[in-house]
Amino acid sequence: MGMTARDVLRRTFGYDNFREGQGELIDAVLAGRDVCGIMPTGAGKSLCYQVPALLLPGVTLVVSPLISLMRDQVMALVSAGVSATFINSSLTDAQVAKAMANAREGKYKIIYIAPERLSTASMMSLAAALDISMVAVDEAHCISQWGQDFRPQYMDIPAFIGGLKRRPVVGAFTATATPRVRADILRALELRNPLDVVTGFDRPNLYFAVHSPKNKYAALAAYVQSHNHVGIVYCATRKEVDSVAEQLVADGYNVAAYHAGLPDATRTRAQDDFLHDRVQIIVATNAFGMGIDKSNVRFVIHYSLPQNVEAYYQEAGRAGRDGLPSDCILFYARRDIFTSVFLINQSDSEEEKRRNRLLLDKMIQYCDTQSCLRQYLLAYFGEQRGEDCDDCGNCAPSEALEMMDAANADASPKRKHKARKPREERAERIRSRKERAPRLAFSDPLFESLKAVRMEIATREKVPAFVVFSDATLVDMCQKHPQSEEAFLQVSGVGQVKLERYGAAFLEVLRGTQPANPATESQAETSALTPDQLLQSIAIANDSIQISLVAENINAVLLRHDMKKPAAWL
Amino acid sequence: MALNKLLLVNGYLDDASGDKLPTAQGTAAGITTQRRNARGRDYDQCIFDAQAQRLCAKLFLHEMFQQDA
């Protein structure tokens, strides 16, 4: 019997189960039906075309707008044992010729291609020689003029497909699409009777907040000082990027700046340093990030007002792609509106100005609302839900927000919060939402050891760390604590090829440590624990550390044992 | 109770100067300070060695269990 989609998912990608929407979309593609998948970032859109690509007889072409995305996806596929390549302007003519020759010889199952290549004679000639089973259009919202990332070259896709000797299955995938953009995608790509799957836009692991500090930099410094994590700071202008990055560097942080005014080489280095964890924070304009597949971004701070809600949700959504808890905080000052209006007015087209002002109004409403921020965002994308999330800056201010208030002393206006529900009710709902996200294990010393092994391999193989394993896979490794190759294969994100390539190095570390969180531990055992027993489980750093990190280490253990009261330090 | 407050209540920190700084008891327990600067303003950041980290965890856990009892 041949391989099934589930076999491919397990053996190649190392996952046991499909996530919401994936199974339906993959089944439809394998049955020869066009599909349109709207799924939030981190929900596994790529697998919806990568899994069928390995089961369909011919080649799958993936149209993707950004070079960095193609490179990362191909690196991840190759590291999982899949034959894949990309063809875009980052390759020399000789490299393109070689990739095309290999493609003609049938050496690839998946080829990523930039949209502007589709209309070239060489690509048409290659396409005529290939058996193309599927064309997957990634970031499909780029075809809509209502989307903030409109790419005229995407309009060439239907003509390219029409010119093929046999029409392949066509799939459109995106994370960000309002009902209007969605309609544009279906129409402009000429999808035939597509299976249209919208799994919902909620990202339960993201904490959204709007903060209005008078001194934005003091608030930012207070945040990054207490969160020793990887993050992105988005600014509205190049000048602001340079200024914020300089201040962070002066304060001793490991920071890179990224904007379109920097030389190509500087931008490429900044992006690579960030992807490879050589810098902790990247300060950037919106030129940075589309197609960035870095999974362990723990915070995205918008230092200024984004132009519209779609751009905001997409940029903020770069946090927590691995499903672990992450912060999305927007610094809002009413004076930022003038900068935004100024930028909008640079357009020559009155129609475009009108459209962008309408979109900006929605963004301002998000900043001004006293209601649940998650509800607002979901409603914007056409998803109605009747209840507040009780886990955003308006429903429940976090310790981080209070700390930023403190950093602004008297300068920060008091945030207003709507009437809150009883504590137990809030706690129960937050708990049930967060159960969908893996538990945090950043403070586990084993996690640090596994990260060190990952970094060593990534450096040796010259790939970003997340190509080896994501943070979520390392967290699962800490929790399952496998001691054999068979058990290692049960870790989420470990497939056969990754077991063979990396298993020995990680197992060596795992075999040398005690499990921090035995999976067999029952709730009854947990409730019987004494303070001193819990104390034994708390990670103690050899170096002197700040109190916020002490609190994180305590919380890691409390979370592990389902204790309801996290340790606040402030 | 927040960790900082627990340390204040138990005499390990003192905030009479406006900043939270270790008392003699706090210093003996492993709390020290590091001089830092943010936006041109110098300040002292309390940091906790291994012994002081254990102390914080112990104070917090015992207080949490006492409240639940």
Side-chain angles (χ1 to χ4, degrees):
Chain A
M1 206 170 84
M3 291 260 278
T4 64
R6 194 171 284 274
D7 292 337
V8 172
L9 183 74
R10 176 67 255 169
R11 289 186 201 171
T12 305
F13 297 100
Y15 300 112
D16 285 326
N17 296 303
F18 287 117
R19 289 153 86 176
E20 189 187 356
Q22 286 180 330
E24 292 167 80
L25 287 162
I26 290 168
D27 285 347
V29 169
L30 292 174
R33 185 175 174 190
D34 287 357
V35 297
C36 178
I38 317 277
M39 304 161 88
T41 306
K45 283 184 294 298
S46 310
L47 283 181
C48 296
Y49 53 80
Q50 290 170 345
V51 169
L54 301 186
L55 293 165
L56 291 167
V59 180
T60 290
L61 288 188
V62 182
V63 181
S64 174
L66 277 188
I67 291 169
S68 56
L69 178 95
M70 294 190 213
R71 193 183 52 184
D72 291 346
Q73 295 252 341
V74 168
M75 273 197 281
L77 284 168
V78 169
S79 105
V82 177
S83 54
T85 193
F86 59 85
I87 299 175
N88 62 35
S89 59
S90 73
L91 301 181
T92 62
D93 289 348
Q95 286 171 320
V96 169
K98 178 72 181 164
M100 287 190 164
N102 284 343
R104 282 174 198 274
E105 288 170 23
K107 288 187 177 169
Y108 304 121
K109 285 299 288 177
I110 303 179
I111 301 173
Y112 282 76
I113 186 149
E116 56 272 16
R117 290 260 163 190
L118 293 175
S119 50
T120 62
S122 59
M123 189 60 216
M124 292 304 290
S125 159
L126 175 66
L130 295 178
D131 172 19
I132 298 173
S133 293
M134 180 182 190
V135 173
V137 182
D138 207 3
E139 309 288 354
H141 62 282
C142 291
I143 203 164
S144 169
Q145 295 189 49
W146 274 97
Q148 82 279 3
D149 297 311
F150 172 58
R151 295 275 182 128
Q153 302 93 337
Y154 264 59
M155 304 297 272
D156 296 336
I157 296 173
F160 171 79
I161 293 168
L164 298 174
K165 58 190 174 197
R166 184 174 58 83
R167 188 183 184 278
V169 181
V170 181
F173 302 92
T174 183
T176 315
T178 59
R180 177 178 271 166
V181 172
R182 196 151 71 230
D184 262 5
I185 291 171
L186 298 179
R187 183 185 47 75
L189 280 176
E190 299 171 9
L191 298 184
R192 294 183 187 170
N193 181 31
L195 174 71
D196 189 9
V197 173
V198 183
T199 63
F201 294 92
D202 192 14
R203 302 276 307 278
N205 60 317
L206 298 186
Y207 177 88
F208 288 95
V210 176
H211 186 52
S212 296
K214 281 206 173 161
N215 184 337
K216 288 184 182 180
Y217 184 78
L220 175 66
Y223 183 89
V224 297
Q225 188 185 348
S226 61
H227 293 74
N228 185 27
H229 293 316
V230 169
I232 305 173
V233 179
Y234 276 111
C235 298
T237 62
R238 298 171 187 183
K239 193 173 158 189
E240 195 170 62
V241 167
D242 291 336
S243 161
V244 172
E246 274 171 27
Q247 290 178 83
L248 285 169
V249 169
D251 283 346
Y253 296 103
N254 194 4
V255 175
Y258 186 105
H259 59 67
L262 294 169
D264 285 353
T266 309
R267 272 187 297 156
T268 304
R269 191 173 61 242
Q271 184 172 301
D272 278 356
D273 283 348
F274 185 63
L275 286 176
H276 288 82
D277 290 334
R278 292 189 290 264
V279 299
Q280 182 190 350
I281 300 166
I282 192 153
V283 184
T285 58
N286 60 5
F288 175 79
M290 189 173 168
I292 293 295
D293 198 13
K294 185 173 172 62
S295 63
N296 65 337
V297 175
R298 293 275 74 85
F299 67 85
V300 171
I301 291 180
H302 279 76
Y303 204 78
S304 297
L305 187 65
Q307 296 287 297
N308 56 62
V309 177
E310 280 167 280
Y312 175 64
Y313 202 58
Q314 195 170 62
E315 287 160 10
R318 287 175 189 134
R321 292 176 75 111
D322 53 12
L324 299 181
S326 306
D327 289 339
C328 305
I329 299 172
L330 193 161
F331 287 176
Y332 174 53
R334 290 201 74 84
R335 63 180 177 275
D336 293 344
I337 296 171
F338 299 111
T339 312
S340 296
V341 170
F342 173 80
L343 292 171
I344 287 170
N345 285 341
Q346 299 308 298
S347 168
D348 292 332
S349 154
E350 284 307 314
E351 170 57 22
E352 196 176 315
K353 280 184 203 170
R354 187 190 68 81
R355 195 164 55 206
N356 288 338
R357 278 193 208 117
L358 286 174
L359 295 173
L360 178 64
D361 281 348
K362 296 285 183 192
M363 189 70 240
I364 295 168
Q365 284 170 25
Y366 171 79
C367 297
D368 283 337
T369 185
Q370 302 291 319
S371 303
C372 173
L373 293 171
R374 192 181 305 275
Q375 266 214 48
Y376 183 95
L377 290 168
L378 295 180
Y380 181 86
F381 292 109
E383 190 177 326
Q384 299 297 333
R385 45 192 276 170
E387 55 182 31
D388 292 348
C389 73
D390 291 331
D391 192 25
C392 70
N394 283 0
C395 289
S398 71
E399 186 185 303
L401 286 185
E402 283 165 8
M403 186 180 57
M404 286 191 281
D405 273 350
N408 269 264
D410 306 327
S412 186
K414 285 276 176 218
R415 266 176 281 121
K416 293 176 195 155
H417 302 291
K418 55 201 171 57
R420 298 175 72 181
K421 295 186 177 63
R423 189 184 178 88
E424 277 310 304
E425 192 185 328
R426 288 204 319 272
E428 181 53 40
R429 286 192 7 209
I430 293 167
R431 200 163 40 248
S432 67
R433 275 177 8 85
K434 286 197 168 167
E435 270 164 12
R436 284 180 268 163
R439 290 286 164 78
L440 205 59
F442 298 129
S443 307
D444 193 330
L446 175 58
F447 180 76
E448 289 303 321
S449 305
L450 296 174
K451 257 173 75 176
V453 174
R454 179 178 66 175
M455 181 56 91
E456 199 181 311
I457 294 171
T459 307
R460 190 173 63 233
E461 298 194 353
K462 297 192 173 71
V463 295
F466 62 82
V467 167
V468 179
F469 285 129
S470 69
D471 277 8
T473 295
L474 297 192
V475 167
D476 201 38
M477 243 179 248
C478 289
Q479 288 174 342
K480 290 186 175 144
H481 207 268
Q483 298 294 298
S484 65
E485 289 193 352
E486 196 181 6
F488 193 74
L489 257 182
Q490 300 310 309
V491 173
S492 177
V494 178
Q496 188 61 40
V497 172
K498 286 199 175 181
L499 165 70
E500 287 161 17
R501 283 192 184 163
Y502 311 132
F506 285 92
L507 278 168
E508 190 182 330
V509 172
L510 289 159
R511 283 172 182 147
T513 56
Q514 292 298 313
N517 177 30
T520 54
E521 191 167 67
S522 69
Q523 190 62 39
E525 284 167 327
T526 296
S527 61
L529 284 171
T530 65
D532 288 334
Q533 284 169 323
L534 281 172
L535 193 57
Q536 297 305 315
S537 311
I538 291 172
I540 302 294
N542 289 328
D543 296 332
S544 292
I545 57 176
Q546 290 175 210
I547 199 160
S548 55
L549 297 178
V550 178
E552 274 194 35
N553 288 341
I554 297 171
N555 286 335
V557 172
L558 297 182
L559 272 172
R560 210 182 279 158
H561 294 288
D562 280 334
M563 302 257 171
K564 293 170 194 168
K565 296 173 187 168
W569 58 272
L570 196 69
Chain B
M1 198 183 291
L3 290 179
N4 266 327
K5 190 153 186 203
L6 272 175
L7 293 166
L8 282 165
V9 169
N10 286 283
Y12 293 96
L13 294 180
D14 176 69
D15 63 355
S17 66
D19 288 334
K20 292 179 186 70
L21 296 171
T23 60
Q25 183 188 338
T27 307
I31 308 171
T32 52
T33 58
Q34 261 180 9
R35 195 79 173 153
R36 294 195 183 170
N37 182 290
R39 294 282 284 159
R41 175 187 167 252
D42 286 329
Y43 65 98
D44 291 308
Q45 171 74 54
C46 284
I47 53 169
F48 296 74
D49 72 6
Q51 181 194 345
Q53 292 168 45
R54 270 189 214 97
L55 169 74
C56 288
K58 195 169 175 179
L59 286 173
F60 178 81
L61 291 171
H62 279 273
E63 200 241 3
M64 188 178 88
F65 274 71
Q66 258 176 15
Q67 274 194 350
D68 284 349

PDB file of all heavy atoms in Angstrom, chain A residues 520-541:
ATOM      1  N   THR A 520       4.372  11.180  33.634  1.00  0.00           N
ATOM      2  CA  THR A 520       3.425  10.320  34.339  1.00  0.00           C
ATOM      3  C   THR A 520       2.906  10.979  35.614  1.00  0.00           C
ATOM      4  O   THR A 520       2.024  10.451  36.267  1.00  0.00           O
ATOM      5  CB  THR A 520       4.115   9.010  34.742  1.00  0.00           C
ATOM      6  OG1 THR A 520       5.282   9.338  35.481  1.00  0.00           O
ATOM      7  CG2 THR A 520       4.490   8.195  33.525  1.00  0.00           C
ATOM      8  N   GLU A 521       3.455  12.128  35.942  1.00  0.00           N
ATOM      9  CA  GLU A 521       3.062  12.753  37.193  1.00  0.00           C
ATOM     10  C   GLU A 521       1.574  13.069  37.194  1.00  0.00           C
ATOM     11  O   GLU A 521       1.068  13.697  36.285  1.00  0.00           O
ATOM     12  CB  GLU A 521       3.836  14.054  37.343  1.00  0.00           C
ATOM     13  CG  GLU A 521       3.720  14.658  38.704  1.00  0.00           C
ATOM     14  CD  GLU A 521       4.762  15.749  38.816  1.00  0.00           C
ATOM     15  OE1 GLU A 521       4.628  16.747  38.098  1.00  0.00           O
ATOM     16  OE2 GLU A 521       5.690  15.586  39.587  1.00  0.00           O
ATOM     17  N   SER A 522       0.876  12.642  38.184  1.00  0.00           N
ATOM     18  CA  SER A 522      -0.573  12.841  38.185  1.00  0.00           C
ATOM     19  C   SER A 522      -0.929  14.111  38.925  1.00  0.00           C
ATOM     20  O   SER A 522      -0.139  14.669  39.674  1.00  0.00           O
ATOM     21  CB  SER A 522      -1.253  11.661  38.857  1.00  0.00           C
ATOM     22  OG  SER A 522      -0.945  11.694  40.240  1.00  0.00           O
ATOM     23  N   GLN A 523      -2.156  14.536  38.701  1.00  0.00           N
ATOM     24  CA  GLN A 523      -2.628  15.732  39.381  1.00  0.00           C
ATOM     25  C   GLN A 523      -2.611  15.509  40.890  1.00  0.00           C
ATOM     26  O   GLN A 523      -2.317  16.411  41.659  1.00  0.00           O
ATOM     27  CB  GLN A 523      -4.042  16.038  38.899  1.00  0.00           C
ATOM     28  CG  GLN A 523      -4.578  17.375  39.347  1.00  0.00           C
ATOM     29  CD  GLN A 523      -3.737  18.521  38.809  1.00  0.00           C
ATOM     30  OE1 GLN A 523      -3.292  18.474  37.685  1.00  0.00           O
ATOM     31  NE2 GLN A 523      -3.503  19.524  39.629  1.00  0.00           N
ATOM     32  N   ALA A 524      -2.934  14.269  41.290  1.00  0.00           N
ATOM     33  CA  ALA A 524      -2.960  13.967  42.720  1.00  0.00           C
ATOM     34  C   ALA A 524      -1.578  14.166  43.330  1.00  0.00           C
ATOM     35  O   ALA A 524      -1.429  14.756  44.404  1.00  0.00           O
ATOM     36  CB  ALA A 524      -3.417  12.538  42.947  1.00  0.00           C
ATOM     37  N   GLU A 525      -0.562  13.710  42.577  1.00  0.00           N
ATOM     38  CA  GLU A 525       0.805  13.878  43.091  1.00  0.00           C
ATOM     39  C   GLU A 525       1.155  15.364  43.187  1.00  0.00           C
ATOM     40  O   GLU A 525       1.775  15.815  44.126  1.00  0.00           O
ATOM     41  CB  GLU A 525       1.796  13.172  42.167  1.00  0.00           C
ATOM     42  CG  GLU A 525       1.794  11.670  42.320  1.00  0.00           C
ATOM     43  CD  GLU A 525       2.551  10.991  41.191  1.00  0.00           C
ATOM     44  OE1 GLU A 525       2.529  11.504  40.065  1.00  0.00           O
ATOM     45  OE2 GLU A 525       3.160   9.959  41.453  1.00  0.00           O
ATOM     46  N   THR A 526       0.707  16.121  42.175  1.00  0.00           N
ATOM     47  CA  THR A 526       0.989  17.551  42.154  1.00  0.00           C
ATOM     48  C   THR A 526       0.399  18.239  43.362  1.00  0.00           C
ATOM     49  O   THR A 526       1.066  19.009  44.046  1.00  0.00           O
ATOM     50  CB  THR A 526       0.406  18.176  40.868  1.00  0.00           C
ATOM     51  OG1 THR A 526       1.089  17.612  39.777  1.00  0.00           O
ATOM     52  CG2 THR A 526       0.567  19.675  40.868  1.00  0.00           C
ATOM     53  N   SER A 527      -0.887  17.923  43.618  1.00  0.00           N
ATOM     54  CA  SER A 527      -1.534  18.647  44.704  1.00  0.00           C
ATOM     55  C   SER A 527      -0.929  18.289  46.052  1.00  0.00           C
ATOM     56  O   SER A 527      -1.086  19.015  47.013  1.00  0.00           O
ATOM     57  CB  SER A 527      -3.034  18.369  44.687  1.00  0.00           C
ATOM     58  OG  SER A 527      -3.232  16.983  44.882  1.00  0.00           O
ATOM     59  N   ALA A 528      -0.226  17.146  46.121  1.00  0.00           N
ATOM     60  CA  ALA A 528       0.357  16.744  47.403  1.00  0.00           C
ATOM     61  C   ALA A 528       1.749  17.342  47.603  1.00  0.00           C
ATOM     62  O   ALA A 528       2.364  17.127  48.639  1.00  0.00           O
ATOM     63  CB  ALA A 528       0.425  15.227  47.467  1.00  0.00           C
ATOM     64  N   LEU A 529       2.253  18.083  46.616  1.00  0.00           N
ATOM     65  CA  LEU A 529       3.608  18.618  46.725  1.00  0.00           C
ATOM     66  C   LEU A 529       3.707  19.676  47.829  1.00  0.00           C
ATOM     67  O   LEU A 529       2.768  20.448  48.054  1.00  0.00           O
ATOM     68  CB  LEU A 529       4.019  19.260  45.399  1.00  0.00           C
ATOM     69  CG  LEU A 529       4.385  18.295  44.278  1.00  0.00           C
ATOM     70  CD1 LEU A 529       4.540  19.057  42.976  1.00  0.00           C
ATOM     71  CD2 LEU A 529       5.662  17.556  44.614  1.00  0.00           C
ATOM     72  N   THR A 530       4.843  19.699  48.492  1.00  0.00           N
ATOM     73  CA  THR A 530       5.077  20.714  49.518  1.00  0.00           C
ATOM     74  C   THR A 530       5.907  21.844  48.903  1.00  0.00           C
ATOM     75  O   THR A 530       6.525  21.656  47.848  1.00  0.00           O
ATOM     76  CB  THR A 530       5.869  20.112  50.687  1.00  0.00           C
ATOM     77  OG1 THR A 530       7.163  19.764  50.179  1.00  0.00           O
ATOM     78  CG2 THR A 530       5.177  18.884  51.260  1.00  0.00           C
ATOM     79  N   PRO A 531       5.953  22.999  49.583  1.00  0.00           N
ATOM     80  CA  PRO A 531       6.789  24.094  49.047  1.00  0.00           C
ATOM     81  C   PRO A 531       8.235  23.656  48.852  1.00  0.00           C
ATOM     82  O   PRO A 531       8.874  24.014  47.857  1.00  0.00           O
ATOM     83  CB  PRO A 531       6.684  25.179  50.123  1.00  0.00           C
ATOM     84  CG  PRO A 531       5.471  24.863  50.906  1.00  0.00           C
ATOM     85  CD  PRO A 531       5.216  23.402  50.779  1.00  0.00           C
ATOM     86  N   ASP A 532       8.746  22.853  49.786  1.00  0.00           N
ATOM     87  CA  ASP A 532      10.156  22.453  49.671  1.00  0.00           C
ATOM     88  C   ASP A 532      10.394  21.535  48.479  1.00  0.00           C
ATOM     89  O   ASP A 532      11.424  21.599  47.827  1.00  0.00           O
ATOM     90  CB  ASP A 532      10.624  21.785  50.976  1.00  0.00           C
ATOM     91  CG  ASP A 532      10.772  22.836  52.076  1.00  0.00           C
ATOM     92  OD1 ASP A 532      10.998  24.017  51.734  1.00  0.00           O
ATOM     93  OD2 ASP A 532      10.632  22.483  53.258  1.00  0.00           O
ATOM     94  N   GLN A 533       9.389  20.683  48.179  1.00  0.00           N
ATOM     95  CA  GLN A 533       9.536  19.818  46.997  1.00  0.00           C
ATOM     96  C   GLN A 533       9.524  20.656  45.720  1.00  0.00           C
ATOM     97  O   GLN A 533      10.299  20.410  44.796  1.00  0.00           O
ATOM     98  CB  GLN A 533       8.399  18.786  46.960  1.00  0.00           C
ATOM     99  CG  GLN A 533       8.612  17.652  47.956  1.00  0.00           C
ATOM    100  CD  GLN A 533       7.370  16.797  48.101  1.00  0.00           C
ATOM    101  OE1 GLN A 533       6.255  17.297  48.067  1.00  0.00           O
ATOM    102  NE2 GLN A 533       7.584  15.501  48.281  1.00  0.00           N
ATOM    103  N   LEU A 534       8.641  21.630  45.694  1.00  0.00           N
ATOM    104  CA  LEU A 534       8.609  22.512  44.517  1.00  0.00           C
ATOM    105  C   LEU A 534       9.920  23.275  44.387  1.00  0.00           C
ATOM    106  O   LEU A 534      10.447  23.473  43.288  1.00  0.00           O
ATOM    107  CB  LEU A 534       7.453  23.518  44.642  1.00  0.00           C
ATOM    108  CG  LEU A 534       6.052  22.996  44.314  1.00  0.00           C
ATOM    109  CD1 LEU A 534       5.012  24.036  44.680  1.00  0.00           C
ATOM    110  CD2 LEU A 534       5.941  22.652  42.829  1.00  0.00           C
ATOM    111  N   LEU A 535      10.426  23.693  45.527  1.00  0.00           N
ATOM    112  CA  LEU A 535      11.676  24.467  45.548  1.00  0.00           C
ATOM    113  C   LEU A 535      12.805  23.693  44.864  1.00  0.00           C
ATOM    114  O   LEU A 535      13.628  24.266  44.150  1.00  0.00           O
ATOM    115  CB  LEU A 535      12.034  24.774  47.003  1.00  0.00           C
ATOM    116  CG  LEU A 535      13.115  25.802  47.267  1.00  0.00           C
ATOM    117  CD1 LEU A 535      12.765  27.139  46.630  1.00  0.00           C
ATOM    118  CD2 LEU A 535      13.305  25.989  48.769  1.00  0.00           C
ATOM    119  N   GLN A 536      12.816  22.386  45.044  1.00  0.00           N
ATOM    120  CA  GLN A 536      13.863  21.558  44.443  1.00  0.00           C
ATOM    121  C   GLN A 536      13.813  21.607  42.907  1.00  0.00           C
ATOM    122  O   GLN A 536      14.820  21.389  42.250  1.00  0.00           O
ATOM    123  CB  GLN A 536      13.711  20.091  44.897  1.00  0.00           C
ATOM    124  CG  GLN A 536      13.863  19.857  46.388  1.00  0.00           C
ATOM    125  CD  GLN A 536      15.182  20.386  46.927  1.00  0.00           C
ATOM    126  OE1 GLN A 536      16.229  20.172  46.337  1.00  0.00           O
ATOM    127  NE2 GLN A 536      15.118  21.130  48.024  1.00  0.00           N
ATOM    128  N   SER A 537      12.606  21.845  42.366  1.00  0.00           N
ATOM    129  CA  SER A 537      12.459  21.811  40.899  1.00  0.00           C
ATOM    130  C   SER A 537      12.811  23.146  40.240  1.00  0.00           C
ATOM    131  O   SER A 537      12.930  23.226  39.025  1.00  0.00           O
ATOM    132  CB  SER A 537      11.013  21.484  40.518  1.00  0.00           C
ATOM    133  OG  SER A 537      10.560  20.382  41.225  1.00  0.00           O
ATOM    134  N   ILE A 538      12.920  24.195  41.044  1.00  0.00           N
ATOM    135  CA  ILE A 538      13.112  25.525  40.439  1.00  0.00           C
ATOM    136  C   ILE A 538      14.560  25.702  39.974  1.00  0.00           C
ATOM    137  O   ILE A 538      15.499  25.402  40.716  1.00  0.00           O
ATOM    138  CB  ILE A 538      12.710  26.631  41.451  1.00  0.00           C
ATOM    139  CG1 ILE A 538      11.184  26.586  41.640  1.00  0.00           C
ATOM    140  CG2 ILE A 538      13.140  28.014  40.959  1.00  0.00           C
ATOM    141  CD1 ILE A 538      10.663  27.481  42.731  1.00  0.00           C
ATOM    142  N   ALA A 539      14.713  26.161  38.743  1.00  0.00           N
ATOM    143  CA  ALA A 539      16.054  26.358  38.188  1.00  0.00           C
ATOM    144  C   ALA A 539      16.744  27.512  38.916  1.00  0.00           C
ATOM    145  O   ALA A 539      16.149  28.578  39.099  1.00  0.00           O
ATOM    146  CB  ALA A 539      15.954  26.670  36.706  1.00  0.00           C
ATOM    147  N   ILE A 540      17.964  27.280  39.332  1.00  0.00           N
ATOM    148  CA  ILE A 540      18.758  28.320  39.992  1.00  0.00           C
ATOM    149  C   ILE A 540      19.955  28.616  39.089  1.00  0.00           C
ATOM    150  O   ILE A 540      20.727  27.705  38.751  1.00  0.00           O
ATOM    151  CB  ILE A 540      19.249  27.852  41.391  1.00  0.00           C
ATOM    152  CG1 ILE A 540      18.053  27.479  42.285  1.00  0.00           C
ATOM    153  CG2 ILE A 540      20.148  28.898  42.028  1.00  0.00           C
ATOM    154  CD1 ILE A 540      17.129  28.628  42.672  1.00  0.00           C
ATOM    155  N   ALA A 541      20.089  29.863  38.683  1.00  0.00           N
ATOM    156  CA  ALA A 541      21.187  30.224  37.787  1.00  0.00           C
ATOM    157  C   ALA A 541      22.482  30.376  38.587  1.00  0.00           C
ATOM    158  O   ALA A 541      22.456  30.852  39.731  1.00  0.00           O
ATOM    159  CB  ALA A 541      20.862  31.529  37.081  1.00  0.00           C
TER     160      ALA A 541
END
